[in-house]
Amino acid sequence: AAKAEGKSRYRLFQPRLSELLISRLTRQAELRLAIDTGQLELHYQPRVLGDSGEMSSMEALVRWRHPSRGLIAPDDFIPLAEENGLIVPLGEQVIAAACAQLAQWKAEGLPVVPLSINVSARQIDDASVSGFLAGCMARHGLDAALIEVEITESATMAAEGAGCGELAAIRALGVKLYVDDFGTGYSSLSQLRRLDMDGLKVDQSFTAQLAGGPEDLAFFTAIVSMAHAIGMRVVAEGVETVEQLRILQALRCDEVQGYYVSPPVPPATAALLLRKRFLFPA
Ligand code: C2E
Ligand code: MG
Ligand code: MG
Ligand code: MG
């Protein structure tokens, strides 16, 4: 009886598994096509100085303009791309597009700020990202001061051997390195110091707790003093309210980013924000 049951169970699951596999392969092929036919586009989210609201940088965030499903958020395709390796060509396209956009804004006479590019662990492992970045910067005549790279905390810590060399190679270009989603991984002070990171972007989950109690404040306060002690800047992600901003200002958090200042916006709107420059709501 057990055997029969096991068998029927197996039969029950088999079609589901192949369905999953097919949908996975379909999604993969679709994403490959999206990369090859230019369905990916970048939106930009400003980051501002905590005290003045002056724009200090803009983060490039990829979106997939799907022919039938509309605009797809990166959380719906980046993980897949990371698993199957498509993140490498996808990431190169992001780097190339960000550099081209920045060069175009410069040519139009806009007061540009550095663009911050998200780079995933797999791109670091692949060890070609620094060379690719250098090529794009050179082709567009961009100074290294105009490019920043964000790597998640877990990816930063996983960076060993070749990966660590790759981080150093990016650093050697003069490009600034930020730890993204800080607080969600397990980095140590010594690792951050060894990797010579320029700043921490504190994960939005910590910003969301800011109006809570003294313990939540203590966490942020500790991060700020630790980071400043080893010469790193602190950026708060996900700032949505003026209350959060006021607390972060009191804690001497260097920069803030979030819906309170601006959501990610398409290039035309980003150009308007560059002209405006000071972005705290009046
Ligand atoms: P991230 O780099 O931590 O980017 C911040 C995410 O939080 C963005 O989501 C942004 O739209 C969202 N966000 C910003 N301000 C607020 C706020 O005030 N409140 C809330 N609730 N959310 C806010 P998005 O654009 O959907 O990107 C999600 C993630 O996808 C990014 O997280 C990043 O890890 C990844 N990603 C995006 N573009 C790329 C890329 O070109 N390459 C790689 N490797 N990853 C990317
Ligand atoms: Mg980021
Ligand atoms: Mg983040
Ligand atoms: Mg994130």
Side-chain angles (χ1 to χ4, degrees):
K3 209 175 176 185
E5 203 180 89
K7 232 177 176 179
S8 66
R9 231 184 241 157
Y10 177 71
R11 279 208 203 91
L12 202 71
F13 277 97
Q14 201 176 22
R16 289 226 192 124
L17 266 179
S18 57
E19 263 168 46
L20 273 179
L21 187 64
I22 288 167
S23 95
R24 207 185 157 70
L25 290 173
T26 308
R27 274 158 45 77
Q28 189 167 319
E30 262 196 315
L31 183 56
R32 176 81 249 182
L33 190 73
I35 295 169
D36 292 342
T37 60
Q39 291 173 16
L40 301 180
E41 61 184 56
L42 294 180
H43 284 197
Y44 298 91
Q45 185 178 34
R47 204 165 94 197
V48 301
L49 298 178
D51 50 8
S52 65
E54 182 176 10
M55 201 193 301
S56 47
S57 164
M58 268 204 288
E59 179 173 5
L61 293 158
V62 70
R63 275 94 181 86
W64 177 359
R65 192 163 295 277
H66 192 280
S68 60
R69 282 190 281 148
L71 205 60
I72 304 180
D75 286 337
D76 287 346
F77 60 92
I78 292 284
L80 176 71
E82 282 174 341
E83 276 171 44
N84 62 27
L86 282 176
I87 192 68
V88 173
L90 186 157
E92 289 184 348
Q93 212 170 79
V94 166
I95 291 168
C99 288
Q101 180 64 82
L102 195 55
Q104 190 194 320
W105 281 334
K106 268 182 72 184
E108 289 169 1
L110 284 167
V112 293
V113 294
L115 279 193
S116 196
I117 299 173
N118 292 285
V119 167
S120 72
R122 187 95 180 234
Q123 292 172 271
I124 297 293
D125 289 341
D126 186 64
S128 61
V129 66
S130 62
F132 188 85
L133 186 58
C136 286
M137 285 170 16
R139 186 158 357 97
H140 292 287
L142 296 175
D143 192 274
L146 283 176
I147 301 291
E148 299 170 346
V149 162
E150 302 184 9
I151 306 158
T152 60
E153 187 179 20
S154 44
T156 309
M157 294 313 117
E160 296 290 342
C164 191
E166 192 58 15
L167 283 185
I170 296 172
R171 192 82 182 72
L173 298 174
V175 167
K176 289 201 168 60
L177 287 171
Y178 283 79
V179 183
D180 204 352
D181 302 346
F182 181 78
T184 60
Y186 302 92
S187 49
S188 71
L189 197 59
S190 64
Q191 278 169 312
L192 292 174
R193 211 171 170 170
R194 178 171 53 82
L195 294 168
D196 203 7
M197 306 300 285
D198 293 280
L200 304 176
K201 296 189 74 177
V202 181
D203 191 67
Q204 57 187 48
S205 57
F206 300 100
T207 305
Q209 290 163 17
L210 262 186
E215 278 166 38
D216 302 317
L217 279 187
F219 179 81
F220 236 107
T221 309
I223 290 177
V224 172
S225 63
M226 173 205 86
H228 286 173
I230 58 172
M232 283 191 301
R233 293 179 72 74
V234 181
V235 184
E237 298 191 278
V239 178
E240 294 183 351
T241 68
V242 67
E243 289 78 17
Q244 290 166 346
L245 174 67
R246 295 290 175 246
I247 294 169
L248 291 163
Q249 287 172 327
L251 296 181
R252 297 257 163 269
C253 178
D254 302 286
E255 296 173 51
V256 299
Q257 187 177 30
Y259 297 164
Y260 178 72
V261 179
S262 169
V265 294
T269 313
L272 295 177
L273 295 179
L274 281 172
R275 285 198 198 285
K276 196 172 169 208
R277 194 141 203 124
F278 289 85
L279 302 185
F280 281 157

